[in-house]
Amino acid sequence: MLRIPRRFSHFVFGFIQSGLTCAVAAAIASIPFLAAGAFVTHWLQSWLMAWIMMLPIVLFAAPAIRSLTHLLTRED
């Protein structure tokens, strides 16, 4: 099995997280196509387009979000 070095784990996380989030959002947006029998086709096209658009945003925003959460929280 291909193992990616742990120092790149934030990229793997962003890859998985953006794919899953876009899949759910595209499925919700594709519900009107369920009755017409075009749900799967529309969902796959919507998911792929959304994922291509969101992946770079998630990968670049993650470090900034991590820093912001560190500033807004404290150690217990």
Side-chain angles (χ1 to χ4, degrees):
M1 176 155 90
L2 175 67
R3 302 279 304 208
I4 298 168
R6 188 142 300 145
R7 67 180 178 271
F8 300 117
S9 65
H10 61 284
F11 290 118
V12 175
F13 179 89
F15 185 85
I16 294 168
Q17 186 267 335
S18 64
L20 182 61
T21 302
C22 290
V24 171
I28 293 168
S30 299
I31 287 176
F33 294 92
L34 198 57
F39 174 81
V40 174
T41 303
H42 189 269
W43 173 73
L44 283 173
Q45 290 172 347
S46 299
W47 171 76
L48 185 59
M49 181 58 71
W51 189 53
I52 288 170
M53 300 289 286
M54 283 305 298
L55 183 58
I57 294 169
V58 168
L59 291 179
F60 291 121
I65 294 169
R66 188 175 299 122
S67 297
L68 181 60
T69 57
H70 185 73
L71 288 173
L72 295 173
T73 59
R74 61 179 169 81
E75 293 286 331
D76 284 334

